[in-house]
């Protein structure tokens, strides 16, 4: 199986607030599905604390662009009291919310595992493997494992499919920025630097 | 294959007229100055706001200049602290399978050392000039 990883976008926002830092993740999954039309959402280990705000939410959201390519969004939302060093000169009841997003475009040749609901052997990772799966080694034929196949796929992916990959990179960046802007709205902070109008991707939420 | 060379650093503290909108105006300035800007990190505290920006400017097919800008706005003292790191990044493509072999890596290393290194050195004054220009425009726009 030949895997290509393109694009690498990363962004972090930290907010220090007096109350209700958990507003960052309320209605999050509905937002991801309705506004961004994500095809699959996988949750990693989440932590919720009842006594004090100390919540951790980690998600992988996938958007399939073709039978071979998908965009992987890694989202992490945290609500917690900040480290004691920040509290020394401030009120004791200050709380912190953190939003981190990153996006990658992954392409698999000969193709992804169509039966993605199959349980994955835990192996070295005791919690679920978030990488979306792919055709496992024993499903590939000798042709798929050969070097010549790798060369052909490399030429196809870089020469012919490269333009589409660039479009997907733009789309993933725009989506991550949009997620950050929506979170910032909840905290009354102005929008981040926009990259819209760069070229080809017309986001469905604009205009 | 990537070669990163840090070529310039600059640091400045400026007193500003309107600390509440200082970061917003700075972002506006960056968007006008550079075609590619990314805000990588943003921290909002009750009395302080900090951000990290990365701007990119392509010099030729292999090399681009990257300015990593750290800005910190202090509301109570009406002051911003700006640190800029200027870097030159040379990226040799690794798309095809022959470009990932160790022989190609050796060839590219020699190419960079004996042929391309001089060209990259020629870009260093551009980076320094751009950094100074950015600082000057920030002062003009934000200083009290």
């Amino acid at each position: 199986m030949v895997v290509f990883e393109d694009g690498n976008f990363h962004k972090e926002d930290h907010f220090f607030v007096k109350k209700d830092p958990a507003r960052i993740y309320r209605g999050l999954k509905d937002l991801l599905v309705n506004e961004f039309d994500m095809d699959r959402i996988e949750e990693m280990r989440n932590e919720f604390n009842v006594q004090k705000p100390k919540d951790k939410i980690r998600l992988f959201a996938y958007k399939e662009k073709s039978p071979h390519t998908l965009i992987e969004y890694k989202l992490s939302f945290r609500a917690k009291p900040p480290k004691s060093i920040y509290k020394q000169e401030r009120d004791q009841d200050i709380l912190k919310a953190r939003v981190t997003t990153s996006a990658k475009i992954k392409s698999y040749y000969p193709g992804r595992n169509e039966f993605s609901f199959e349980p994955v052997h835990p192996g070295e990772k005791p919690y679920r493997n978030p990488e979306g799966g792919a055709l496992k080694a024993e499903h590939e034929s000798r042709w798929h494992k050969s070097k010549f196949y790798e060369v052909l796929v490399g030429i196809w992916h870089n020469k012919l499919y490269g333009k589409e990959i660039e479009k997907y990179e733009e789309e993933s960046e725009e989506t991550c920025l949009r997620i950050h802007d929506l979170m910032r709205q909840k905290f009354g902070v102005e929008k981040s630097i926009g990259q819209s109008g760069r070229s080809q991707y017309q986001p469905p939420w604009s205009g | 294959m990537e070669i990163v060379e840090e070529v310039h650093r600059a640091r400045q503290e400026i007193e500003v007229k309107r600390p509440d909108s200082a970061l917003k105006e700075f972002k506006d300035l960056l968007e006008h100055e550079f075609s590619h800007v990314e805000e990588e990190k943003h921290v909002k505290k009750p009395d302080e706001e900090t951000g990290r920006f990365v701007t990119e400017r392509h010099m030729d097919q292999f090399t681009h200049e990257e300015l990593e800008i750290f800005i910190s706005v202090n509301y109570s003292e009406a002051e911003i602290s700006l640190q800029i790191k200027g870097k030159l990044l040379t990226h040799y493509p690794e798309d095809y399978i022959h470009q990932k072999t160790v022989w190609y890596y050796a060839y590219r290393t020699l190419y960079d050392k004996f042929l391309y290194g001089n060209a990259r050195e020629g870009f260093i004054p551009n980076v320094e000039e751009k950094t100074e220009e950015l600082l000057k425009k920030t002062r003009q726009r934000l200083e009290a």
Side-chain angles (χ1 to χ4, degrees):
Chain A
M1 175 192 42
V2 187
V3 182
F4 294 97
E5 274 185 24
D6 294 292
N8 204 353
F9 183 77
H10 180 83
K11 194 166 159 66
E12 265 180 64
D13 276 348
H14 302 240
F15 308 99
F16 285 73
V17 292
K18 286 267 179 180
K19 59 179 177 181
D20 198 23
R23 63 191 117 142
I24 41 167
Y25 59 77
R26 270 195 212 111
L28 179 65
K29 277 201 233 169
D30 292 333
L31 176 81
L32 287 175
V33 172
N34 295 334
E35 179 138 359
F36 298 111
D37 201 26
M38 296 290 177
D39 294 313
R40 191 158 116 242
I41 299 178
E42 297 221 3
E43 288 182 40
M44 298 296 289
R45 268 207 300 223
N46 295 332
E47 290 174 21
F48 297 97
N49 198 311
V50 176
Q51 279 194 330
K52 54 184 175 179
K54 198 176 176 208
D55 306 329
K56 219 190 270 192
I57 297 199
R58 283 170 285 201
L59 298 170
F60 280 87
Y62 297 94
K63 185 131 196 247
E64 295 177 17
K65 301 309 286 185
S66 83
H68 296 275
T69 311
L70 51 76
I71 307 180
E72 178 195 71
Y73 296 97
K74 186 172 164 187
L75 310 169
S76 159
F77 299 83
R78 276 190 84 159
K80 58 176 206 161
K83 291 184 194 159
S84 50
I85 193 164
Y86 293 116
K87 286 197 201 177
Q88 278 171 12
E89 292 172 17
R90 295 190 180 90
D91 297 338
Q92 287 304 305
D93 58 350
I94 196 93
L95 298 163
K96 185 170 155 177
R98 185 182 82 187
V99 182
T100 313
T101 49
S102 69
K104 264 191 226 184
I105 321 287
K106 288 192 173 174
S107 306
Y108 300 90
Y109 297 97
R112 283 191 339 271
N113 185 1
E114 287 165 27
F115 303 105
S116 56
F117 52 82
E118 273 182 351
V120 178
H121 189 275
E124 291 170 16
K125 298 184 191 176
Y127 41 90
R128 267 206 289 175
N129 183 352
E131 288 191 342
L135 278 183
K136 300 192 182 43
E138 60 261 28
H139 294 258
E140 292 175 282
S141 63
R142 280 191 69 179
W143 158 242
H144 291 141
K145 293 182 200 169
S146 66
K147 262 303 183 228
F148 187 47
Y149 179 74
E150 200 177 328
V151 168
L152 284 183
V153 155
I155 296 172
W156 153 259
H157 183 83
N158 292 302
K159 261 290 187 247
L160 303 173
Y161 200 55
K163 279 269 177 259
E164 294 294 318
I165 296 287
E166 275 178 25
K167 282 191 204 162
Y168 300 152
E169 279 181 30
E170 265 188 54
E171 181 186 336
S172 65
E173 285 183 26
E174 296 271 351
T175 308
C176 287
L177 285 174
R178 176 77 180 157
I179 293 176
H180 276 271
D181 283 345
L182 288 170
M183 295 301 133
R184 285 187 182 199
Q185 254 177 21
K186 294 190 185 186
F187 290 99
V189 179
E190 77 227 9
K191 285 188 180 181
S192 65
I193 285 194
Q195 309 219 49
S196 50
R198 270 204 295 163
S199 65
Q200 300 153 17
Y201 180 60
Q202 292 301 321
W205 53 78
S206 73
Chain B
M1 184 181 164
E2 268 214 21
I3 295 151
V4 182
E5 207 179 316
E6 193 184 309
V7 296
H8 189 58
R9 278 202 193 191
R11 195 182 174 138
Q12 203 159 85
E13 304 203 355
I14 308 173
E15 279 189 20
V16 293
K17 298 177 255 196
R18 289 176 298 263
D20 292 338
S21 61
L23 195 63
K24 193 170 166 195
E25 290 189 39
F26 184 70
K27 277 195 235 184
D28 197 43
L29 175 72
L30 283 181
E31 275 185 313
H32 281 110
E33 281 292 305
F34 298 94
S35 58
H36 187 105
V37 190
E38 257 179 46
E39 186 183 4
E40 285 197 342
K41 190 170 172 180
H42 180 263
V43 182
K44 172 120 178 124
K45 298 178 192 166
D47 52 353
E48 199 183 25
E49 206 173 350
T50 55
R52 183 170 81 210
F53 299 90
V54 172
T55 69
E56 232 179 70
R57 197 167 61 114
H58 280 264
M59 305 302 214
D60 68 7
Q61 55 168 326
F62 294 131
T63 307
H64 66 270
E65 164 212 272
E66 206 173 90
L67 294 184
E68 204 176 334
I69 304 169
F70 300 87
I71 180 169
S72 162
V73 182
N74 193 324
Y75 297 135
S76 48
E77 292 174 28
E79 194 176 80
I80 63 172
S81 156
L82 203 57
Q83 291 177 55
I84 305 182
K85 269 196 229 175
K87 293 185 216 169
L88 276 173
L89 273 87
T90 304
H91 178 79
Y92 295 114
E94 279 187 348
D95 297 330
Y96 302 102
I97 193 174
H98 70 276
Q99 289 171 339
K100 297 180 197 169
T101 59
V102 88
W103 307 111
Y104 190 80
Y105 187 88
Y107 154 70
R108 274 301 183 196
T109 312
L110 295 170
Y111 173 86
D112 190 76
K113 180 128 181 91
F114 294 110
L115 296 174
Y116 193 68
N118 292 332
R120 192 170 49 244
E121 274 177 34
F123 292 131
I124 294 178
N126 286 3
V127 177
E128 292 174 354
E129 206 184 294
K130 190 73 187 173
T131 316
E132 297 304 322
E133 196 187 310
L134 179 65
L135 285 171
K136 188 169 138 201
K137 290 200 173 166
T138 312
R139 272 198 308 272
Q140 271 173 359
R141 190 142 167 191
L142 296 175
E143 197 163 26

